[in-house]
């Protein structure tokens, strides 16, 4: 038995932390979502987890694969709140959630109310069994739980006013638009050039147009819609591996790249700086947009500690590669609360590649920093180039995604 006072205290602290954190970022949690967060008891959806874990602003992993990688979780509450605000649920809405955990479905049920409908689906039978049991135990037994591949949606209960995808996708399969009402809204964490953003998409004729986007991270989709990114190894020393993660057909495997790190480091500094807690995720989007050979550098902690590389984030820092050379973004402290972006590069063409990446960091600073970011428009595959909105075009099996900056 949990101590009820302690549970209520931790619950209130969790909600307070989410509301304060979002307000600080300038995107306040709506009263409806805040109210739903207060009403749904998260510990009921992670039975067995200590109360501190159930009410921490963190994902709770509920399943791992044979390599120990998370395949299912009850998502981080702040990310859930952010996506629910993007979804803008109205009372009475019919909602499909792809990727179940139970908790988010209960919040959706609170938002749509008794006149609405919530369907939650998952590809994993263990997950749907657990979601059914926890939803029923928490009093949400009218949520429909479906065990099936979300790539195909679930047409029986559609069409839906709202579809929310809570698993990382690289494409938007036809079912998600076929099962969406004409004035419906789709929220999906979409991976483009290796960067995942939760997009809130509205239908405009045959297209879907983004209304907002937010940084997020999700376990990748399994089943028919799964899509792997390629790895190019830069340093293979066991425990100190460094690689490029590539989600981009322009960048081909280049065997000369495994020699690049044996060459001296070139470096250049940009004069562009950031404060300690200042987000700069739009810079990543800009670099992915502006540089055709964009990829993400990844490194183990041991590789960073040993000074093999010094990226701005070891799990995915903007990088470019060409002709046996790679360049990536780094930071140095230039004041009490200021860090300056720079670029490190290795390989025969290191100075030129470093200058190319640094130039685009300055272009972002001079022309786009602090301004509205890109609009993402999703077109059906086969849409001719002259009917796209211009900008960068990313082709997937089912869609052509155009990214345009004002
Ligand atoms: C982050 S969890 C969902 C969290 C959940 N919405 C919550 O309430 O916190 C992602 C889920 O997506 C599921 N998933 C992965 N691929 C899927 C697919 N093709 N169709 C449906 N579910 C899928 C995983 O099994 C996993 O349970």
């Amino acid at each position: 038995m949990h101590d009820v006072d302690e549970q209520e205290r931790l619950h209130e602290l969790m909600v307070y932390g989410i509301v304060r954190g979002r307000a600080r970022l300038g995107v306040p949690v709506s009263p409806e979502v805040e109210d739903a967060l207060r009403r749904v008891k998260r510990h009921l959806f992670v039975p067995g987890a200590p109360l501190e874990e159930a009410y921490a602003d963190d994902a709770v992993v509920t399943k791992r694969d044979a390599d120990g990688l998370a395949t299912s979780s009850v998502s981080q509450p702040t990310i859930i709140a952010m996506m629910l605000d993007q979804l803008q649920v109205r009372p009475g809405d019919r909602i499909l959630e792809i990727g179940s955990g139970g908790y988010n479905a209960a919040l959706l049920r609170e938002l749509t109310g008794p006149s609405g409908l919530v369907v939650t689906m998952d590809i994993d039978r263990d997950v749907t069994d657990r979601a059914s049991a926890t939803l029923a135990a928490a009093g949400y037994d009218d949520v429909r739980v479906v065990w099936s591949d979300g790539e195909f949606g679930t047409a029986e209960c559609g069409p839906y006013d709202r579809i929310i995808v809570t698993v990382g996708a690289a494409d938007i399969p036809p079912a998600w638009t076929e099962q969406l009402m004409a004035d419906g809204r789709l929220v999906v964490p979409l991976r483009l050039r290796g960067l995942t953003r939760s997009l809130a998409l509205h239908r405009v004729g045959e297209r879907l147009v983004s209304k907002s986007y937010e940084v997020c991270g999700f376990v990748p989709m399994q089943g028919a819609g799964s899509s792997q990114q390629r790895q190019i190894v830069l340093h293979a020393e066991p425990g100190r591996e460094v690689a490029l993660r590539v989600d981009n057909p322009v960048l081909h495997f280049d065997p000369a790249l495994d020699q690049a790190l044996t060459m001296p480091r070139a470096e250049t500094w940009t004069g562009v700086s950031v404060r300690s807690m200042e987000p700069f995720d739009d810079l990543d989007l800009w670099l992915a947009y502006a540089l055709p050979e964009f990829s993400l550098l990844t490194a183990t902690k041991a590789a960073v500690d040993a000074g093999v590389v010094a990226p701005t984030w070891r799990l995915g820092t903007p990088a470019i590669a060409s002709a046996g050379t790679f360049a990536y973004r780094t930071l140095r402290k230039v004041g009490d609360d200021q860090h300056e972006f720079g670029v490190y590069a290795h390989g025969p063409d290191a100075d030129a590649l470093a200058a190319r990446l640094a130039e685009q960091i300055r272009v972002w600073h001079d022309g786009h920093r602090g301004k509205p970011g890109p609009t993402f428009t999703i077109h059906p595959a086969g849409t001719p180039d002259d009917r796209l909105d211009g900008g960068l075009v990313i082709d997937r099996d089912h869609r052509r995604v155009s990214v345009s900056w004002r």
Side-chain angles (χ1 to χ4, degrees):
M1 280 293 284
H2 290 306
D3 174 341
V4 174
D5 288 348
E6 179 63 355
Q7 179 254 300
E8 283 175 358
R9 189 184 71 83
L10 291 170
H11 189 167
E12 181 51 36
L13 268 180
M14 180 192 85
V15 177
Y16 174 75
I18 295 169
V19 169
R20 195 187 47 177
R22 295 293 295 159
R24 275 194 184 150
L25 288 174
V27 269
V29 177
S30 64
E32 294 80 9
V33 170
E34 182 178 342
D35 199 37
L37 288 169
R38 285 222 156 75
R39 277 197 261 169
V40 180
K41 295 180 166 62
R42 191 169 185 249
H43 72 278
L44 299 179
F45 297 92
V46 284
L51 279 180
E52 288 71 18
E53 206 180 307
Y55 288 103
D57 190 17
D58 252 326
V60 179
V61 174
T62 48
K63 190 159 178 180
R64 294 185 185 274
D65 67 13
D67 299 326
L69 293 174
T71 61
S72 187
S73 62
V74 171
S75 302
Q76 184 185 356
T78 286
I79 299 287
I80 287 185
M82 171 199 99
M83 290 176 78
L84 290 176
D85 271 322
Q86 286 188 295
L87 195 64
Q88 295 189 355
V89 176
R90 302 157 304 181
D93 274 346
R94 301 173 71 82
I95 308 168
L96 172 63
E97 180 193 41
I98 294 173
S100 308
Y103 178 59
N104 194 41
L107 292 166
L108 290 166
R109 175 65 183 72
E110 289 288 350
L111 288 166
T112 185
S115 58
L117 169 77
V118 178
V119 181
T120 182
M121 66 186 304
D122 204 286
I123 199 168
D124 186 328
R125 184 70 190 259
D126 291 344
V127 176
T128 50
D129 284 353
R130 206 196 51 238
S132 299
T134 54
L135 281 162
Y140 297 98
D141 43 12
D142 56 353
V143 170
R144 296 198 202 166
V145 181
V146 176
W147 170 42
S148 190
D149 187 341
E151 172 85 357
F152 308 104
T154 177
E156 302 87 87
C157 307
Y160 303 96
D161 301 287
R162 300 286 184 261
I163 298 181
I164 180 166
V165 182
T166 63
V167 60
D171 199 350
I172 297 187
W176 297 356
T177 37
E178 284 160 14
Q179 294 171 23
L180 188 68
M181 298 269 204
D183 60 348
R185 187 173 263 233
L186 167 66
V187 171
V188 53
L190 193 66
R191 191 190 83 214
L192 298 168
R193 295 263 154 102
L195 303 173
T196 301
R197 297 291 182 270
S198 172
L199 304 184
L201 297 163
H202 262 277
R203 195 198 276 273
V204 180
E206 279 206 308
R207 296 172 299 157
L208 293 167
V209 181
S210 67
K211 291 284 169 196
S212 68
Y213 63 88
E214 299 268 7
V215 182
C216 64
F218 273 92
V219 294
M221 212 161 142
Q222 305 166 41
S226 71
S227 146
Q228 299 286 329
Q229 300 181 73
R230 288 177 296 136
Q231 297 276 347
I232 298 177
V233 175
L234 300 173
H235 188 70
E237 184 187 355
R240 292 184 178 171
E241 292 87 352
V242 180
L244 293 177
R245 196 166 70 221
V246 183
D247 183 22
N248 180 356
V250 173
L251 204 63
H252 295 293
F253 174 70
D254 175 359
L257 273 173
D258 69 1
Q259 292 306 307
L261 262 171
T262 63
M263 296 182 211
R265 185 172 85 188
E267 66 179 76
T268 184
W269 295 93
T270 61
V272 176
S273 63
V274 278
R275 282 173 287 109
S276 302
M277 297 304 285
E278 187 182 340
F280 50 86
D281 40 275
D282 264 14
L283 169 58
D284 294 18
L285 281 182
W286 174 259
L287 296 174
Y289 171 84
L291 294 160
E293 49 313 44
F294 181 86
S295 62
L296 292 166
L297 183 127
T298 62
T300 61
K301 183 170 181 308
V304 174
D305 290 348
V308 180
V309 283
T312 51
W313 189 47
R314 69 174 188 83
L315 298 180
T317 285
I320 52 176
S322 143
T325 304
F326 72 94
Y328 64 95
R329 190 180 62 196
T330 190
L331 274 175
R332 69 176 173 191
K333 200 167 170 19
V334 288
D336 276 353
D337 190 34
Q338 289 285 325
H339 285 80
E340 181 189 4
F341 289 118
V343 179
Y344 287 160
H346 297 263
D349 210 11
D351 287 327
L353 226 62
R356 195 167 140 62
L357 182 49
E359 172 59 16
Q360 287 304 327
I361 295 175
R362 287 191 207 97
V363 171
W364 167 75
H365 174 75
D366 294 340
H368 301 285
R369 189 172 188 173
K371 299 198 177 143
T375 300
F376 301 84
T377 308
I378 318 286
H379 308 264
T383 304
D385 285 352
D386 61 6
R387 290 186 47 211
L388 302 176
D389 297 346
L392 169 71
V393 177
I394 297 172
D395 282 307
R396 298 296 202 206
D397 287 349
H398 302 297
R399 309 286 170 171
R400 306 196 75 191
V401 181
S402 64
V403 187
S404 52
W405 291 69
R406 271 165 266 186

